Amino acid sequence: MGIVVAKQQLPNARHVAVFDTAFHQTMPDFAYRYAVPGAWYKELGVRRYGFHGTSHLYVSKRAAKMLGKPASDVNLITLHIGSGASATAIKGGKSIDTSMGLTPLAGLVMGTRAGDIDAGIIFYVMEQLGITAKQIETHLNKQSGMLGVTECYIDHRDIWNNIENNDNCRLALDIETNNIKKYIGGFMAELGHVDAIVFTAGIGEKDERIRELAVAGLEEMGVKLDKAANDKALSQHGAEDSVISAADSKIKVFMIPTNEELVIIEDTIAIANGTYNPNHLEMGYSFV
């Protein structure tokens, strides 16, 4: 619909689509395939696609620069934590797994999205409440996540401000950060070696408490936060690419403000000029 409207309004302009899923096209088949009937994949395209690709691409390049290594030599766990949230395992600069799936509903707990749930819940609730597929889709996309648990808040500022008098706020934050931690641990196992964990996006850049809770207890796995550095690394106060791990942390932890718009602009210019390379490791981005 957006493309149709844009072409109607600007009929003489060249139109370029930069897909949020493109960065994740390097995932191996065992990461993007689901264990469902093969016909679903072949005929319906049911597979993991992943989203927030422009963000994960940008921060992965910036993280490689901070590490002083080529992107192709870097293994990362990137955490785009906002109202929508996703985690990506990056090996040798390329996405090999990500938390979102066929749709942006899977993976991490989000502002109004449930994230990972037992698929059986859908059938149970539909039967018990007598609701349609469209209604359950609305419940899971618009009325779940932090809103579903707190029953009144989406914004983390509201949740933190009411944590003392609303135990659901405490519960929502515990569910969210425990969920992030599980993905960090899973991606660590998948990658084997991890150079850095990167926090980005609205919450990842602006909420030091979420970052602290998400990596708390991972010291035995080589992750140690520098509390003072973490507390200062807030993009809303002007902080830029920041190291928030302790000096003796085996795995670095970064806060990197994302810039999805810049990736979209540079990809669009390259496509228009005929210089775009689908292998992003060979693209001459200005932020590398």
Side-chain angles (χ1 to χ4, degrees):
M1 186 185 297
I3 291 170
V4 170
V5 172
K7 292 184 76 173
Q8 288 172 345
Q9 297 298 314
L10 298 165
N12 298 319
R14 185 173 183 183
H15 294 261
V16 175
V18 177
F19 281 80
D20 216 20
T21 58
F23 181 66
H24 302 298
Q25 290 301 300
T26 51
M27 288 189 291
D29 56 3
F30 57 81
Y32 69 71
R33 282 290 299 271
Y34 292 112
V36 296
W40 293 11
Y41 169 69
K42 297 169 190 173
E43 298 172 19
L44 302 176
V46 173
R47 54 157 284 176
R48 184 181 306 280
Y49 289 99
F51 298 87
H52 295 138
T54 50
S55 178
H56 290 292
L57 184 152
Y58 178 82
V59 300
S60 70
K61 303 290 190 186
R62 297 299 301 171
K65 189 168 186 177
M66 292 174 72
L67 290 164
K69 297 181 178 181
S72 58
D73 291 346
V74 170
N75 287 8
L76 305 166
I77 297 171
T78 52
L79 301 164
H80 179 108
I81 312 295
S83 182
S86 63
T88 295
I90 297 172
K91 189 168 189 175
K94 295 182 178 181
S95 171
I96 64 160
D97 204 354
T98 193
S99 59
M100 284 182 168
L102 172 72
T103 75
L105 185 56
L108 303 179
V109 174
M110 306 174 223
T112 62
R113 296 188 194 126
D116 291 336
I117 63 167
D118 174 0
I121 292 171
I122 297 171
F123 312 120
Y124 173 75
V125 172
M126 288 177 69
E127 182 178 358
Q128 292 297 310
L129 300 183
I131 59 177
T132 65
K134 191 66 179 176
Q135 288 173 313
I136 195 79
E137 182 182 21
T138 299
H139 284 307
L140 293 174
N141 275 293
K142 303 294 185 182
Q143 297 164 4
S144 296
M146 304 301 277
L147 177 61
V149 178
T150 64
E151 300 181 348
C152 50
Y153 302 121
I154 300 173
D155 194 305
H156 274 64
R157 290 168 294 189
D158 293 326
I159 296 172
W160 282 114
N161 288 339
N162 290 278
I163 196 169
E164 297 298 329
N165 53 36
N166 184 342
D167 192 56
N168 283 341
C169 292
R170 186 275 311 164
L171 177 60
L173 292 167
D174 284 348
I175 291 173
E176 178 189 36
T177 52
N178 185 63
N179 186 235
I180 296 170
K181 191 177 300 184
K182 285 166 71 175
Y183 266 96
I184 291 174
F187 284 167
M188 279 184 173
E190 199 166 0
L191 290 167
H193 167 77
V194 178
D195 293 291
I197 297 168
V198 181
F199 286 91
T200 193
I203 297 165
E205 297 173 21
K206 298 177 180 179
D207 194 333
E208 76 283 5
R209 291 171 289 188
I210 291 295
R211 298 191 300 245
E212 183 176 355
L213 289 170
V215 299
L218 298 182
E219 291 82 6
E220 289 292 322
M221 300 174 73
V223 182
K224 186 176 180 182
L225 209 64
D226 181 322
K227 181 167 172 48
N230 181 53
D231 289 349
K232 288 194 300 183
L234 300 170
S235 64
Q236 69 269 38
H237 295 158
E240 298 180 347
D241 299 354
S242 305
V243 179
I244 59 175
S245 49
D248 59 345
S249 181
K250 181 180 176 182
I251 298 172
K252 300 291 185 185
V253 185
F254 298 150
M255 185 288 289
I256 301 178
T258 193
N259 196 334
E260 296 164 276
E261 296 82 0
L262 183 57
V263 176
I264 293 168
I265 289 167
E266 295 197 11
D267 280 355
T268 299
I269 291 170
I271 290 166
N273 290 341
T275 59
Y276 179 75
N277 190 331
N279 181 354
H280 64 83
L281 293 176
E282 297 177 359
M283 276 285 291
Y285 288 110
S286 67
F287 47 86
V288 174

